[in-house]
Amino acid sequence: MKKQPYNISRFFLLLIVFSVIFCRPSDLENANDVHSREFNETQILNCLLIGPFCTREVGVPIQPLVQLDFTNGSLVNSGPVVFNLSSQEWVPNWTTGKDGDVNGGLNFDTNNRYYSSDAGQDASLPMGAKPRTMCAWIKPTQLPANGSHQLIFRYGSTTTANASVLSLSTATGNKVSFLGFGYDALADYTVPLNTWTHLCASYNGGNTASLYVNGNWIGSPTFSGSGPLNTTSGAFVIGTWTGSGGLPYYWWGDSDAMRIYDIALSAKQIGQVYQTGIAYLE
């Protein structure tokens, strides 16, 4: 019987099929490829050669309370908390999101653009000093001036400064920060301009907050100022502080994929959010 010639294209087809079945997104090197599902042969081979078949990790997804992806210009929260978002000044612009989707992200190009929910609509988010995690993709066009902040999003009351805030700050150097305003955790890091960056703050209810950039832990700074953290209900707000009578601390740049969880996500879970947008129970 005549032997059939080896079909190299069939071999690579099988590799692609096996990668879909067995490979985890975390086993692939390029985060952008994970989002687009376009993997090259080197990534597939590396995955298949790691461990016993590089078995897919099965887990239960964690539902965030806030999941704003802004797909097709939507302000609807995919989480269970209902927001009615509006602006008393200028609404943010729609722009290309971090995945390249048209009208999939928000752009802030002036000091007056922001969204705010109705009063009290943040009441189901973690209050007091309860654990929480806040994440977002950001693409800043400028960094805050020394001694100032640029707020990505926040919730809680600004009247008494009892808010919970994810932001960039500058204080003796550039920082990424989780603010209670007056009780703040800041870690040294200079976020690049005009580049999409993933930022998370994980708080377990103690006197520190763990901060992550692009899935990497950069520090767990101790809060400074007058504490403890005591978030009280106010409103969910994107792109500004407002409401306290002080500086508004507007955001400059783009933002996308905002998340709030009612637990302190682990480093592994935050890596999952960065890679795939979903964290799983451990």
Side-chain angles (χ1 to χ4, degrees):
M1 181 181 293
K2 187 176 180 180
K3 191 173 183 179
Q4 293 292 327
Y6 184 74
N7 190 326
I8 189 69
S9 61
R10 182 178 299 174
F11 171 73
F12 279 108
L13 177 60
L14 287 173
L15 283 181
I16 293 172
V17 171
F18 274 103
S19 73
V20 172
I21 296 172
F22 294 115
C23 294
R24 298 171 297 183
S26 59
D27 297 312
L28 300 165
E29 297 174 350
N30 190 323
N32 292 326
D33 285 344
V34 171
H35 293 305
S36 66
R37 299 298 190 269
E38 295 173 359
F39 309 140
N40 60 41
E41 289 90 345
T42 301
Q43 290 172 311
I44 294 168
L45 287 170
N46 284 341
C47 174
L48 294 175
L49 290 172
I50 295 173
F53 302 108
C54 193
T55 306
R56 181 189 299 270
E57 183 174 317
V58 178
V60 177
I62 301 172
Q63 173 66 62
L65 298 176
V66 174
Q67 181 177 337
L68 288 167
D69 293 315
F70 307 118
T71 305
N72 296 322
S74 173
L75 293 174
V76 175
N77 177 24
S78 297
V81 182
V82 176
F83 296 130
N84 177 28
L85 295 174
S86 59
S87 179
Q88 296 175 348
E89 295 183 85
W90 297 347
V91 299
N93 301 306
W94 289 109
T95 189
T96 301
K98 56 107 179 161
D99 288 323
D101 50 331
V102 177
N103 293 332
L106 297 177
N107 168 261
F108 303 78
D109 60 0
T110 180
N111 275 341
N112 301 92
R113 299 193 189 279
Y114 68 89
Y115 279 121
S116 177
S117 77
D118 292 341
Q121 289 188 327
D122 64 342
S124 297
L125 300 179
M127 295 291 159
K130 291 182 178 179
R132 70 205 69 173
T133 301
M134 302 170 68
C135 300
W137 281 88
I138 58 172
K139 187 181 179 183
T141 54
Q142 65 182 46
L143 298 176
N146 188 40
S148 185
H149 312 275
Q150 287 183 9
L151 275 66
I152 304 163
F153 70 89
R154 60 92 172 162
Y155 70 93
S157 172
T158 56
T159 304
T160 56
N162 289 12
S164 190
V165 183
L166 185 67
S167 73
L168 301 183
S169 303
T170 303
T172 62
N174 294 317
K175 317 283 184 179
V176 294
S177 50
F178 174 70
L179 309 178
F181 259 79
Y183 191 62
D184 308 331
L186 300 90
D188 293 323
Y189 193 88
T190 302
V191 173
L193 299 180
N194 304 307
T195 300
W196 282 110
T197 299
H198 189 248
L199 177 62
C200 278
S202 180
Y203 173 67
N204 66 4
N207 63 353
T208 64
S210 294
L211 294 159
Y212 298 80
V213 174
N214 292 336
N216 297 310
W217 176 82
I218 61 167
S220 295
T222 301
F223 283 91
S224 61
S226 178
L229 187 71
N230 182 27
T231 306
T232 59
S233 178
F236 175 81
V237 179
I238 300 171
T240 186
W241 171 250
T242 70
S244 65
L247 293 174
Y249 297 129
Y250 291 108
W251 175 250
W252 279 78
D254 299 345
S255 58
D256 194 1
M258 298 176 179
R259 304 281 190 272
I260 298 178
Y261 298 84
D262 60 356
I263 62 172
L265 294 182
S266 68
K268 178 180 178 180
Q269 289 168 328
I270 286 175
Q272 293 168 342
V273 176
Y274 165 63
Q275 290 283 0
T276 68
I278 303 172
Y280 295 89
L281 291 174
E282 295 180 333

